[in-house]
Amino acid sequence: MSVGIKICGLKDHENVAAALESGADWIGFVFYARSPRFVTPQEVGALLTRFGDSAVRRAVGLFVKPSDDEIAGALAAAPLSILQIYDSPERAAEIRQRFGLPVWVSIAVTTPSDLPDAPLCDGLVIEPAARTEDGRPGGNGRIMDWAPLKSWKAPQNWLLAGGLTPENVAEAITTSGAPAIDVSSGVETRPGVKSAELITRFVKAARTPCA
């Protein structure tokens, strides 16, 4: 089966178009003000309206320790299909029940013991734990050890994130056995500035078997 691909941190028409046209399965929008990839719900709503149902079905909203009001406000302006949550599994489950949308739980991994052995909501985003100096929980370009993931008995669907680029993504998929991947900084020319060319190259590389 083809690996699933999420392009996260999108902010403009050109790069949303590149993600959709290259065949990405999900397009991600960051509703976290401390991120260089931050967009407002109104901006996302305008983009999704422009691209139509195909984009809406793939739209993932990323939230960091959000209140119910924050999520409700985002959904009022942008018709998201999936919520990606940086918070405790318990809080993620509350959000899923409250809003009735699929929820992916972001899991920070320092050692293999951090990998979940039971399902959490509707999916997992596995990525390296942030360091104190990073200032945000994800999108920092850090790479984890992919090899232990190959033997992990994943309890549900999951995405691999962290430091993926067009140059290393094929190796990451082969080494980790990831069924899906999530990229943000690896398709940027500088923090928060995506490149349509890099997005296209990334998707092509992810779907080209590693020799």
Side-chain angles (χ1 to χ4, degrees):
M1 293 179 62
S2 179
V3 66
I5 298 173
K6 174 173 170 268
I7 309 295
C8 196
L10 294 164
K11 297 168 62 176
D12 57 45
H13 177 272
E14 178 186 7
N15 291 307
V16 171
L20 294 172
E21 291 167 7
S22 64
D25 299 276
W26 305 286
I27 50 175
F29 303 98
V30 177
F31 301 111
Y32 181 53
R34 292 173 60 182
S35 171
R37 302 162 189 104
F38 172 71
V39 284
T40 67
Q42 292 72 26
E43 289 168 332
V44 173
L47 282 170
L48 294 177
T49 296
R50 186 168 183 177
F51 285 99
D53 289 345
S54 176
V56 170
R57 287 193 300 269
R58 304 185 221 185
V60 181
L62 185 155
F63 299 85
V64 178
K65 296 186 180 298
S67 66
D68 283 359
D69 286 348
E70 181 182 349
I71 296 174
L75 291 174
L80 304 170
S81 291
I82 298 170
L83 308 178
Q84 180 179 339
I85 304 298
Y86 283 85
D87 209 326
S88 69
E90 294 78 15
R91 174 61 179 145
E94 290 176 358
I95 290 169
R96 185 180 187 273
Q97 183 174 15
R98 166 70 174 80
F99 293 98
L101 287 173
V103 170
W104 294 348
V105 184
S106 292
I107 302 295
V109 175
T110 301
T111 69
S113 64
D114 296 321
L115 295 167
D117 57 8
L120 301 173
C121 293
D122 302 282
L124 305 169
V125 180
I126 302 299
E127 59 189 309
R131 299 177 185 173
T132 303
E133 63 267 27
D134 289 333
R136 55 184 183 269
N140 300 303
R142 300 199 180 280
I143 297 175
M144 65 191 298
D145 183 1
W146 301 319
L149 295 169
K150 192 81 166 185
S151 58
W152 172 44
K153 292 180 171 53
Q156 64 193 127
N157 292 331
W158 62 283
L159 299 86
L160 173 66
L164 301 178
T165 68
E167 291 71 34
N168 70 15
V169 65
E171 178 187 358
I173 293 166
T174 299
T175 304
S176 68
I181 50 175
D182 185 348
V183 66
S184 188
S185 63
V187 290
E188 293 179 344
T189 55
R190 63 180 187 274
V193 180
K194 293 285 187 291
S195 160
E197 178 186 357
L198 288 175
I199 290 170
T200 301
R201 283 176 49 202
F202 183 89
V203 174
K204 181 177 179 180
R207 292 191 168 139
T208 301
C210 189

mmCIF file with all atom_site columns, all heavy atoms in Angstrom, residues 184-210:
data_model
loop_
_atom_site.group_PDB
_atom_site.id
_atom_site.type_symbol
_atom_site.label_atom_id
_atom_site.label_alt_id
_atom_site.label_comp_id
_atom_site.label_asym_id
_atom_site.label_entity_id
_atom_site.label_seq_id
_atom_site.pdbx_PDB_ins_code
_atom_site.Cartn_x
_atom_site.Cartn_y
_atom_site.Cartn_z
_atom_site.occupancy
_atom_site.B_iso_or_equiv
_atom_site.pdbx_formal_charge
_atom_site.auth_seq_id
_atom_site.auth_comp_id
_atom_site.auth_asym_id
_atom_site.auth_atom_id
_atom_site.pdbx_PDB_model_num
ATOM 1   N N   . SER A 1 184 ? 6.934  19.082 7.898   1.00 0.00 ? 184 SER A N   1
ATOM 2   C CA  . SER A 1 184 ? 6.689  20.517 7.964   1.00 0.00 ? 184 SER A CA  1
ATOM 3   C C   . SER A 1 184 ? 7.969  21.275 7.617   1.00 0.00 ? 184 SER A C   1
ATOM 4   O O   . SER A 1 184 ? 8.136  21.760 6.510   1.00 0.00 ? 184 SER A O   1
ATOM 5   C CB  . SER A 1 184 ? 6.174  20.931 9.340   1.00 0.00 ? 184 SER A CB  1
ATOM 6   O OG  . SER A 1 184 ? 5.780  22.284 9.323   1.00 0.00 ? 184 SER A OG  1
ATOM 7   N N   . SER A 1 185 ? 8.934  21.340 8.541   1.00 0.00 ? 185 SER A N   1
ATOM 8   C CA  . SER A 1 185 ? 10.147 22.124 8.293   1.00 0.00 ? 185 SER A CA  1
ATOM 9   C C   . SER A 1 185 ? 10.972 21.576 7.141   1.00 0.00 ? 185 SER A C   1
ATOM 10  O O   . SER A 1 185 ? 11.707 22.321 6.488   1.00 0.00 ? 185 SER A O   1
ATOM 11  C CB  . SER A 1 185 ? 11.010 22.183 9.562   1.00 0.00 ? 185 SER A CB  1
ATOM 12  O OG  . SER A 1 185 ? 11.456 20.895 9.935   1.00 0.00 ? 185 SER A OG  1
ATOM 13  N N   . GLY A 1 186 ? 10.851 20.288 6.849   1.00 0.00 ? 186 GLY A N   1
ATOM 14  C CA  . GLY A 1 186 ? 11.654 19.675 5.802   1.00 0.00 ? 186 GLY A CA  1
ATOM 15  C C   . GLY A 1 186 ? 11.287 20.078 4.393   1.00 0.00 ? 186 GLY A C   1
ATOM 16  O O   . GLY A 1 186 ? 11.991 19.720 3.436   1.00 0.00 ? 186 GLY A O   1
ATOM 17  N N   . VAL A 1 187 ? 10.186 20.817 4.226   1.00 0.00 ? 187 VAL A N   1
ATOM 18  C CA  . VAL A 1 187 ? 9.823  21.324 2.898   1.00 0.00 ? 187 VAL A CA  1
ATOM 19  C C   . VAL A 1 187 ? 9.745  22.852 2.929   1.00 0.00 ? 187 VAL A C   1
ATOM 20  O O   . VAL A 1 187 ? 8.911  23.471 2.281   1.00 0.00 ? 187 VAL A O   1
ATOM 21  C CB  . VAL A 1 187 ? 8.501  20.701 2.384   1.00 0.00 ? 187 VAL A CB  1
ATOM 22  C CG1 . VAL A 1 187 ? 8.714  19.229 2.063   1.00 0.00 ? 187 VAL A CG1 1
ATOM 23  C CG2 . VAL A 1 187 ? 7.365  20.866 3.393   1.00 0.00 ? 187 VAL A CG2 1
ATOM 24  N N   . GLU A 1 188 ? 10.644 23.450 3.706   1.00 0.00 ? 188 GLU A N   1
ATOM 25  C CA  . GLU A 1 188 ? 10.692 24.904 3.839   1.00 0.00 ? 188 GLU A CA  1
ATOM 26  C C   . GLU A 1 188 ? 12.055 25.446 3.428   1.00 0.00 ? 188 GLU A C   1
ATOM 27  O O   . GLU A 1 188 ? 13.076 24.787 3.599   1.00 0.00 ? 188 GLU A O   1
ATOM 28  C CB  . GLU A 1 188 ? 10.396 25.323 5.284   1.00 0.00 ? 188 GLU A CB  1
ATOM 29  C CG  . GLU A 1 188 ? 8.966  25.035 5.717   1.00 0.00 ? 188 GLU A CG  1
ATOM 30  C CD  . GLU A 1 188 ? 8.675  25.423 7.151   1.00 0.00 ? 188 GLU A CD  1
ATOM 31  O OE1 . GLU A 1 188 ? 9.639  25.633 7.917   1.00 0.00 ? 188 GLU A OE1 1
ATOM 32  O OE2 . GLU A 1 188 ? 7.490  25.501 7.501   1.00 0.00 ? 188 GLU A OE2 1
ATOM 33  N N   . THR A 1 189 ? 12.060 26.677 2.935   1.00 0.00 ? 189 THR A N   1
ATOM 34  C CA  . THR A 1 189 ? 13.312 27.363 2.635   1.00 0.00 ? 189 THR A CA  1
ATOM 35  C C   . THR A 1 189 ? 13.818 28.140 3.849   1.00 0.00 ? 189 THR A C   1
ATOM 36  O O   . THR A 1 189 ? 15.011 28.412 3.960   1.00 0.00 ? 189 THR A O   1
ATOM 37  C CB  . THR A 1 189 ? 13.129 28.329 1.455   1.00 0.00 ? 189 THR A CB  1
ATOM 38  O OG1 . THR A 1 189 ? 12.048 29.236 1.752   1.00 0.00 ? 189 THR A OG1 1
ATOM 39  C CG2 . THR A 1 189 ? 12.788 27.542 0.188   1.00 0.00 ? 189 THR A CG2 1
ATOM 40  N N   . ARG A 1 190 ? 12.915 28.482 4.737   1.00 0.00 ? 190 ARG A N   1
ATOM 41  C CA  . ARG A 1 190 ? 13.244 29.039 6.047   1.00 0.00 ? 190 ARG A CA  1
ATOM 42  C C   . ARG A 1 190 ? 12.021 28.821 6.921   1.00 0.00 ? 190 ARG A C   1
ATOM 43  O O   . ARG A 1 190 ? 10.940 28.497 6.411   1.00 0.00 ? 190 ARG A O   1
ATOM 44  C CB  . ARG A 1 190 ? 13.624 30.525 5.965   1.00 0.00 ? 190 ARG A CB  1
ATOM 45  C CG  . ARG A 1 190 ? 12.543 31.462 5.481   1.00 0.00 ? 190 ARG A CG  1
ATOM 46  C CD  . ARG A 1 190 ? 13.070 32.896 5.450   1.00 0.00 ? 190 ARG A CD  1
ATOM 47  N NE  . ARG A 1 190 ? 12.032 33.860 5.156   1.00 0.00 ? 190 ARG A NE  1
ATOM 48  C CZ  . ARG A 1 190 ? 11.654 34.209 3.938   1.00 0.00 ? 190 ARG A CZ  1
ATOM 49  N NH1 . ARG A 1 190 ? 12.237 33.657 2.883   1.00 0.00 ? 190 ARG A NH1 1
ATOM 50  N NH2 . ARG A 1 190 ? 10.698 35.122 3.771   1.00 0.00 ? 190 ARG A NH2 1
ATOM 51  N N   . PRO A 1 191 ? 12.151 28.936 8.254   1.00 0.00 ? 191 PRO A N   1
ATOM 52  C CA  . PRO A 1 191 ? 11.023 28.593 9.123   1.00 0.00 ? 191 PRO A CA  1
ATOM 53  C C   . PRO A 1 191 ? 9.738  29.306 8.736   1.00 0.00 ? 191 PRO A C   1
ATOM 54  O O   . PRO A 1 191 ? 9.682  30.525 8.649   1.00 0.00 ? 191 PRO A O   1
ATOM 55  C CB  . PRO A 1 191 ? 11.518 29.028 10.512  1.00 0.00 ? 191 PRO A CB  1
ATOM 56  C CG  . PRO A 1 191 ? 13.001 28.851 10.437  1.00 0.00 ? 191 PRO A CG  1
ATOM 57  C CD  . PRO A 1 191 ? 13.356 29.282 9.032   1.00 0.00 ? 191 PRO A CD  1
ATOM 58  N N   . GLY A 1 192 ? 8.715  28.492 8.455   1.00 0.00 ? 192 GLY A N   1
ATOM 59  C CA  . GLY A 1 192 ? 7.401  29.028 8.138   1.00 0.00 ? 192 GLY A CA  1
ATOM 60  C C   . GLY A 1 192 ? 7.172  29.329 6.673   1.00 0.00 ? 192 GLY A C   1
ATOM 61  O O   . GLY A 1 192 ? 6.049  29.690 6.290   1.00 0.00 ? 192 GLY A O   1
ATOM 62  N N   . VAL A 1 193 ? 8.193  29.165 5.845   1.00 0.00 ? 193 VAL A N   1
ATOM 63  C CA  . VAL A 1 193 ? 8.061  29.480 4.412   1.00 0.00 ? 193 VAL A CA  1
ATOM 64  C C   . VAL A 1 193 ? 8.212  28.190 3.609   1.00 0.00 ? 193 VAL A C   1
ATOM 65  O O   . VAL A 1 193 ? 9.313  27.678 3.413   1.00 0.00 ? 193 VAL A O   1
ATOM 66  C CB  . VAL A 1 193 ? 9.106  30.521 3.952   1.00 0.00 ? 193 VAL A CB  1
ATOM 67  C CG1 . VAL A 1 193 ? 8.933  30.812 2.462   1.00 0.00 ? 193 VAL A CG1 1
ATOM 68  C CG2 . VAL A 1 193 ? 8.975  31.792 4.777   1.00 0.00 ? 193 VAL A CG2 1
ATOM 69  N N   . LYS A 1 194 ? 7.092  27.651 3.157   1.00 0.00 ? 194 LYS A N   1
ATOM 70  C CA  . LYS A 1 194 ? 7.083  26.422 2.386   1.00 0.00 ? 194 LYS A CA  1
ATOM 71  C C   . LYS A 1 194 ? 7.549  26.662 0.948   1.00 0.00 ? 194 LYS A C   1
ATOM 72  O O   . LYS A 1 194 ? 7.453  27.770 0.418   1.00 0.00 ? 194 LYS A O   1
ATOM 73  C CB  . LYS A 1 194 ? 5.675  25.815 2.362   1.00 0.00 ? 194 LYS A CB  1
ATOM 74  C CG  . LYS A 1 194 ? 5.175  25.299 3.704   1.00 0.00 ? 194 LYS A CG  1
ATOM 75  C CD  . LYS A 1 194 ? 5.837  23.989 4.089   1.00 0.00 ? 194 LYS A CD  1
ATOM 76  C CE  . LYS A 1 194 ? 5.240  23.360 5.335   1.00 0.00 ? 194 LYS A CE  1
ATOM 77  N NZ  . LYS A 1 194 ? 5.500  24.091 6.574   1.00 0.00 ? 194 LYS A NZ  1
ATOM 78  N N   . SER A 1 195 ? 8.022  25.575 0.322   1.00 0.00 ? 195 SER A N   1
ATOM 79  C CA  . SER A 1 195 ? 8.438  25.596 -1.070  1.00 0.00 ? 195 SER A CA  1
ATOM 80  C C   . SER A 1 195 ? 7.596  24.586 -1.838  1.00 0.00 ? 195 SER A C   1
ATOM 81  O O   . SER A 1 195 ? 7.595  23.395 -1.501  1.00 0.00 ? 195 SER A O   1
ATOM 82  C CB  . SER A 1 195 ? 9.920  25.234 -1.190  1.00 0.00 ? 195 SER A CB  1
ATOM 83  O OG  . SER A 1 195 ? 10.241 24.811 -2.495  1.00 0.00 ? 195 SER A OG  1
ATOM 84  N N   . ALA A 1 196 ? 6.895  25.052 -2.865  1.00 0.00 ? 196 ALA A N   1
ATOM 85  C CA  . ALA A 1 196 ? 6.100  24.137 -3.674  1.00 0.00 ? 196 ALA A CA  1
ATOM 86  C C   . ALA A 1 196 ? 6.982  23.069 -4.313  1.00 0.00 ? 196 ALA A C   1
ATOM 87  O O   . ALA A 1 196 ? 6.594  21.899 -4.422  1.00 0.00 ? 196 ALA A O   1
ATOM 88  C CB  . ALA A 1 196 ? 5.344  24.924 -4.745  1.00 0.00 ? 196 ALA A CB  1
ATOM 89  N N   . GLU A 1 197 ? 8.178  23.453 -4.723  1.00 0.00 ? 197 GLU A N   1
ATOM 90  C CA  . GLU A 1 197 ? 9.101  22.487 -5.327  1.00 0.00 ? 197 GLU A CA  1
ATOM 91  C C   . GLU A 1 197 ? 9.494  21.404 -4.322  1.00 0.00 ? 197 GLU A C   1
ATOM 92  O O   . GLU A 1 197 ? 9.506  20.215 -4.650  1.00 0.00 ? 197 GLU A O   1
ATOM 93  C CB  . GLU A 1 197 ? 10.355 23.197 -5.828  1.00 0.00 ? 197 GLU A CB  1
ATOM 94  C CG  . GLU A 1 197 ? 11.387 22.242 -6.424  1.00 0.00 ? 197 GLU A CG  1
ATOM 95  C CD  . GLU A 1 197 ? 12.695 22.925 -6.787  1.00 0.00 ? 197 GLU A CD  1
ATOM 96  O OE1 . GLU A 1 197 ? 12.794 24.149 -6.631  1.00 0.00 ? 197 GLU A OE1 1
ATOM 97  O OE2 . GLU A 1 197 ? 13.621 22.208 -7.212  1.00 0.00 ? 197 GLU A OE2 1
ATOM 98  N N   . LEU A 1 198 ? 9.809  21.809 -3.089  1.00 0.00 ? 198 LEU A N   1
ATOM 99  C CA  . LEU A 1 198 ? 10.188 20.827 -2.079  1.00 0.00 ? 198 LEU A CA  1
ATOM 100 C C   . LEU A 1 198 ? 9.018  19.925 -1.699  1.00 0.00 ? 198 LEU A C   1
ATOM 101 O O   . LEU A 1 198 ? 9.203  18.729 -1.451  1.00 0.00 ? 198 LEU A O   1
ATOM 102 C CB  . LEU A 1 198 ? 10.731 21.540 -0.837  1.00 0.00 ? 198 LEU A CB  1
ATOM 103 C CG  . LEU A 1 198 ? 12.107 22.190 -0.981  1.00 0.00 ? 198 LEU A CG  1
ATOM 104 C CD1 . LEU A 1 198 ? 12.464 22.964 0.288   1.00 0.00 ? 198 LEU A CD1 1
ATOM 105 C CD2 . LEU A 1 198 ? 13.177 21.146 -1.288  1.00 0.00 ? 198 LEU A CD2 1
ATOM 106 N N   . ILE A 1 199 ? 7.819  20.468 -1.659  1.00 0.00 ? 199 ILE A N   1
ATOM 107 C CA  . ILE A 1 199 ? 6.636  19.647 -1.374  1.00 0.00 ? 199 ILE A CA  1
ATOM 108 C C   . ILE A 1 199 ? 6.483  18.571 -2.442  1.00 0.00 ? 199 ILE A C   1
ATOM 109 O O   . ILE A 1 199 ? 6.286  17.389 -2.141  1.00 0.00 ? 199 ILE A O   1
ATOM 110 C CB  . ILE A 1 199 ? 5.374  20.529 -1.302  1.00 0.00 ? 199 ILE A CB  1
ATOM 111 C CG1 . ILE A 1 199 ? 5.404  21.398 -0.044  1.00 0.00 ? 199 ILE A CG1 1
ATOM 112 C CG2 . ILE A 1 199 ? 4.111  19.658 -1.327  1.00 0.00 ? 199 ILE A CG2 1
ATOM 113 C CD1 . ILE A 1 199 ? 4.324  22.465 -0.005  1.00 0.00 ? 199 ILE A CD1 1
ATOM 114 N N   . THR A 1 200 ? 6.593  18.960 -3.692  1.00 0.00 ? 200 THR A N   1
ATOM 115 C CA  . THR A 1 200 ? 6.456  18.007 -4.794  1.00 0.00 ? 200 THR A CA  1
ATOM 116 C C   . THR A 1 200 ? 7.554  16.953 -4.740  1.00 0.00 ? 200 THR A C   1
ATOM 117 O O   . THR A 1 200 ? 7.283  15.751 -4.911  1.00 0.00 ? 200 THR A O   1
ATOM 118 C CB  . THR A 1 200 ? 6.501  18.751 -6.137  1.00 0.00 ? 200 THR A CB  1
ATOM 119 O OG1 . THR A 1 200 ? 5.438  19.708 -6.166  1.00 0.00 ? 200 THR A OG1 1
ATOM 120 C CG2 . THR A 1 200 ? 6.341  17.789 -7.300  1.00 0.00 ? 200 THR A CG2 1
ATOM 121 N N   . ARG A 1 201 ? 8.780  17.372 -4.483  1.00 0.00 ? 201 ARG A N   1
ATOM 122 C CA  . ARG A 1 201 ? 9.903  16.427 -4.378  1.00 0.00 ? 201 ARG A CA  1
ATOM 123 C C   . ARG A 1 201 ? 9.710  15.475 -3.212  1.00 0.00 ? 201 ARG A C   1
ATOM 124 O O   . ARG A 1 201 ? 10.022 14.282 -3.301  1.00 0.00 ? 201 ARG A O   1
ATOM 125 C CB  . ARG A 1 201 ? 11.221 17.184 -4.220  1.00 0.00 ? 201 ARG A CB  1
ATOM 126 C CG  . ARG A 1 201 ? 11.763 17.797 -5.501  1.00 0.00 ? 201 ARG A CG  1
ATOM 127 C CD  . ARG A 1 201 ? 13.011 18.619 -5.240  1.00 0.00 ? 201 ARG A CD  1
ATOM 128 N NE  . ARG A 1 201 ? 13.983 17.862 -4.434  1.00 0.00 ? 201 ARG A NE  1
ATOM 129 C CZ  . ARG A 1 201 ? 14.948 18.418 -3.717  1.00 0.00 ? 201 ARG A CZ  1
ATOM 130 N NH1 . ARG A 1 201 ? 15.077 19.734 -3.664  1.00 0.00 ? 201 ARG A NH1 1
ATOM 131 N NH2 . ARG A 1 201 ? 15.788 17.671 -3.032  1.00 0.00 ? 201 ARG A NH2 1
ATOM 132 N N   . PHE A 1 202 ? 9.197  15.992 -2.102  1.00 0.00 ? 202 PHE A N   1
ATOM 133 C CA  . PHE A 1 202 ? 9.001  15.157 -0.920  1.00 0.00 ? 202 PHE A CA  1
ATOM 134 C C   . PHE A 1 202 ? 7.996  14.046 -1.198  1.00 0.00 ? 202 PHE A C   1
ATOM 135 O O   . PHE A 1 202 ? 8.229  12.874 -0.878  1.00 0.00 ? 202 PHE A O   1
ATOM 136 C CB  . PHE A 1 202 ? 8.525  16.014 0.253   1.00 0.00 ? 202 PHE A CB  1
ATOM 137 C CG  . PHE A 1 202 ? 8.360  15.255 1.532   1.00 0.00 ? 202 PHE A CG  1
ATOM 138 C CD1 . PHE A 1 202 ? 9.413  15.108 2.406   1.00 0.00 ? 202 PHE A CD1 1
ATOM 139 C CD2 . PHE A 1 202 ? 7.130  14.686 1.865   1.00 0.00 ? 202 PHE A CD2 1
ATOM 140 C CE1 . PHE A 1 202 ? 9.258  14.391 3.594   1.00 0.00 ? 202 PHE A CE1 1
ATOM 141 C CE2 . PHE A 1 202 ? 6.980  13.971 3.040   1.00 0.00 ? 202 PHE A CE2 1
ATOM 142 C CZ  . PHE A 1 202 ? 8.047  13.830 3.903   1.00 0.00 ? 202 PHE A CZ  1
ATOM 143 N N   . VAL A 1 203 ? 6.866  14.406 -1.776  1.00 0.00 ? 203 VAL A N   1
ATOM 144 C CA  . VAL A 1 203 ? 5.831  13.406 -2.051  1.00 0.00 ? 203 VAL A CA  1
ATOM 145 C C   . VAL A 1 203 ? 6.365  12.360 -3.023  1.00 0.00 ? 203 VAL A C   1
ATOM 146 O O   . VAL A 1 203 ? 6.156  11.143 -2.830  1.00 0.00 ? 203 VAL A O   1
ATOM 147 C CB  . VAL A 1 203 ? 4.557  14.082 -2.598  1.00 0.00 ? 203 VAL A CB  1
ATOM 148 C CG1 . VAL A 1 203 ? 3.549  13.022 -3.018  1.00 0.00 ? 203 VAL A CG1 1
ATOM 149 C CG2 . VAL A 1 203 ? 3.948  14.999 -1.542  1.00 0.00 ? 203 VAL A CG2 1
ATOM 150 N N   . LYS A 1 204 ? 7.077  12.788 -4.039  1.00 0.00 ? 204 LYS A N   1
ATOM 151 C CA  . LYS A 1 204 ? 7.634  11.837 -5.005  1.00 0.00 ? 204 LYS A CA  1
ATOM 152 C C   . LYS A 1 204 ? 8.623  10.902 -4.324  1.00 0.00 ? 204 LYS A C   1
ATOM 153 O O   . LYS A 1 204 ? 8.603  9.686  -4.540  1.00 0.00 ? 204 LYS A O   1
ATOM 154 C CB  . LYS A 1 204 ? 8.313  12.596 -6.134  1.00 0.00 ? 204 LYS A CB  1
ATOM 155 C CG  . LYS A 1 204 ? 8.893  11.675 -7.206  1.00 0.00 ? 204 LYS A CG  1
ATOM 156 C CD  . LYS A 1 204 ? 9.505  12.471 -8.346  1.00 0.00 ? 204 LYS A CD  1
ATOM 157 C CE  . LYS A 1 204 ? 10.097 11.542 -9.403  1.00 0.00 ? 204 LYS A CE  1
ATOM 158 N NZ  . LYS A 1 204 ? 10.706 12.305 -10.528 1.00 0.00 ? 204 LYS A NZ  1
ATOM 159 N N   . ALA A 1 205 ? 9.510  11.452 -3.484  1.00 0.00 ? 205 ALA A N   1
ATOM 160 C CA  . ALA A 1 205 ? 10.500 10.622 -2.808  1.00 0.00 ? 205 ALA A CA  1
ATOM 161 C C   . ALA A 1 205 ? 9.855  9.633  -1.849  1.00 0.00 ? 205 ALA A C   1
ATOM 162 O O   . ALA A 1 205 ? 10.306 8.494  -1.713  1.00 0.00 ? 205 ALA A O   1
ATOM 163 C CB  . ALA A 1 205 ? 11.486 11.515 -2.057  1.00 0.00 ? 205 ALA A CB  1
ATOM 164 N N   . ALA A 1 206 ? 8.789  10.072 -1.176  1.00 0.00 ? 206 ALA A N   1
ATOM 165 C CA  . ALA A 1 206 ? 8.119  9.189  -0.205  1.00 0.00 ? 206 ALA A CA  1
ATOM 166 C C   . ALA A 1 206 ? 7.450  8.007  -0.884  1.00 0.00 ? 206 ALA A C   1
ATOM 167 O O   . ALA A 1 206 ? 7.253  6.952  -0.254  1.00 0.00 ? 206 ALA A O   1
ATOM 168 C CB  . ALA A 1 206 ? 7.084  9.991  0.579   1.00 0.00 ? 206 ALA A CB  1
ATOM 169 N N   . ARG A 1 207 ? 7.120  8.175  -2.143  1.00 0.00 ? 207 ARG A N   1
ATOM 170 C CA  . ARG A 1 207 ? 6.419  7.100  -2.861  1.00 0.00 ? 207 ARG A CA  1
ATOM 171 C C   . ARG A 1 207 ? 7.317  6.391  -3.865  1.00 0.00 ? 207 ARG A C   1
ATOM 172 O O   . ARG A 1 207 ? 6.846  5.653  -4.707  1.00 0.00 ? 207 ARG A O   1
ATOM 173 C CB  . ARG A 1 207 ? 5.168  7.681  -3.531  1.00 0.00 ? 207 ARG A CB  1
ATOM 174 C CG  . ARG A 1 207 ? 4.165  8.085  -2.433  1.00 0.00 ? 207 ARG A CG  1
ATOM 175 C CD  . ARG A 1 207 ? 2.800  8.424  -2.932  1.00 0.00 ? 207 ARG A CD  1
ATOM 176 N NE  . ARG A 1 207 ? 1.899  8.501  -1.779  1.00 0.00 ? 207 ARG A NE  1
ATOM 177 C CZ  . ARG A 1 207 ? 0.956  9.412  -1.624  1.00 0.00 ? 207 ARG A CZ  1
ATOM 178 N NH1 . ARG A 1 207 ? 0.782  10.335 -2.539  1.00 0.00 ? 207 ARG A NH1 1
ATOM 179 N NH2 . ARG A 1 207 ? 0.172  9.411  -0.567  1.00 0.00 ? 207 ARG A NH2 1
ATOM 180 N N   . THR A 1 208 ? 8.639  6.617  -3.714  1.00 0.00 ? 208 THR A N   1
ATOM 181 C CA  . THR A 1 208 ? 9.630  5.897  -4.520  1.00 0.00 ? 208 THR A CA  1
ATOM 182 C C   . THR A 1 208 ? 10.352 4.928  -3.592  1.00 0.00 ? 208 THR A C   1
ATOM 183 O O   . THR A 1 208 ? 10.993 5.370  -2.636  1.00 0.00 ? 208 THR A O   1
ATOM 184 C CB  . THR A 1 208 ? 10.639 6.865  -5.151  1.00 0.00 ? 208 THR A CB  1
ATOM 185 O OG1 . THR A 1 208 ? 9.941  7.800  -5.977  1.00 0.00 ? 208 THR A OG1 1
ATOM 186 C CG2 . THR A 1 208 ? 11.663 6.097  -5.979  1.00 0.00 ? 208 THR A CG2 1
ATOM 187 N N   . PRO A 1 209 ? 10.253 3.634  -3.821  1.00 0.00 ? 209 PRO A N   1
ATOM 188 C CA  . PRO A 1 209 ? 10.900 2.666  -2.918  1.00 0.00 ? 209 PRO A CA  1
ATOM 189 C C   . PRO A 1 209 ? 12.394 2.954  -2.769  1.00 0.00 ? 209 PRO A C   1
ATOM 190 O O   . PRO A 1 209 ? 13.081 3.290  -3.723  1.00 0.00 ? 209 PRO A O   1
ATOM 191 C CB  . PRO A 1 209 ? 10.666 1.318  -3.620  1.00 0.00 ? 209 PRO A CB  1
ATOM 192 C CG  . PRO A 1 209 ? 9.464  1.549  -4.473  1.00 0.00 ? 209 PRO A CG  1
ATOM 193 C CD  . PRO A 1 209 ? 9.540  2.977  -4.919  1.00 0.00 ? 209 PRO A CD  1
ATOM 194 N N   . CYS A 1 210 ? 12.866 2.806  -1.540  1.00 0.00 ? 210 CYS A N   1
ATOM 195 C CA  . CYS A 1 210 ? 14.281 3.012  -1.243  1.00 0.00 ? 210 CYS A CA  1
ATOM 196 C C   . CYS A 1 210 ? 15.067 1.777  -1.694  1.00 0.00 ? 210 CYS A C   1
ATOM 197 O O   . CYS A 1 210 ? 14.715 0.651  -1.369  1.00 0.00 ? 210 CYS A O   1
ATOM 198 C CB  . CYS A 1 210 ? 14.478 3.243  0.252   1.00 0.00 ? 210 CYS A CB  1
ATOM 199 S SG  . CYS A 1 210 ? 16.144 3.748  0.708   1.00 0.00 ? 210 CYS A SG  1
#
